[in-house]
Amino acid sequence: MLDRLIHKQLVFSPKSCLLLGPRQVGKSTLLRALNPNLTINLAKESEYHRYMAEPGRLEEVLEAGKFKTVFIDEIQRIPSLLNSVQALIDESSGKLKF
C-alpha cells in the first residue's frame, strides 16, 4: 500500500524529488515503475566513469533529447551532479522533472 501512495505522489507532483532510504528497500524499483524518459544508473561502472570523466555530459544528453522525467540512480556516487541537476531544474522552468 505504501508503494501505491508514494507512486501516486511522485506521478502527480510537478516537482522533482530526492528519494533517500536504506539499501534494498525498493527505491529504484519504485522509480523505474514511473517509466522515466531517461534513466542514468551510476551503479554501472561504465556510466559512472563516463559521467565522472565528463561532468557536462548530463546537460549534453538532456539537450539532445526531449526528456521530461529523468531518473539518476546512485547519484550519491557523484555529488557534484546534484549542482547540475539543480541548475537544469531552474533553467527548465518546471518542464524537466528529476
Side-chain angles (χ1 to χ4, degrees):
M1 183 171 157
L2 190 56
D3 284 355
R4 286 192 313 237
L5 292 173
I6 294 171
H7 187 273
K8 186 184 262 187
Q9 288 212 331
L10 291 173
V11 168
F12 293 110
S13 173
K15 296 184 177 188
S16 294
C17 74
L18 179 62
L19 185 59
L20 303 171
R23 296 187 57 77
Q24 301 295 310
V25 295
K27 298 179 303 291
S28 298
T29 302
L30 173 66
L31 292 176
R32 274 193 296 273
L34 297 173
N35 296 317
N37 301 117
L38 175 64
T39 297
I40 299 168
N41 186 351
L42 297 176
K44 292 181 181 178
E45 286 300 306
S46 59
E47 284 195 58
Y48 168 76
H49 287 292
R50 197 174 305 132
Y51 281 91
M52 277 296 289
E54 217 179 319
R57 181 170 177 74
L58 179 61
E59 292 177 55
E60 292 170 7
V61 168
L62 292 175
E63 286 174 5
K66 300 279 185 198
F67 304 109
K68 291 183 180 180
T69 57
V70 180
F71 171 37
I72 305 177
D73 201 6
E74 300 294 333
I75 195 166
Q76 77 278 2
R77 293 190 77 193
I78 309 176
S80 62
L81 272 183
L82 289 169
N83 295 325
S84 295
V85 167
Q86 181 178 356
L88 289 163
I89 290 169
D90 292 344
E91 291 169 3
S92 76
S93 301
K95 296 176 185 163
L96 191 57
K97 185 171 153 180
F98 286 83

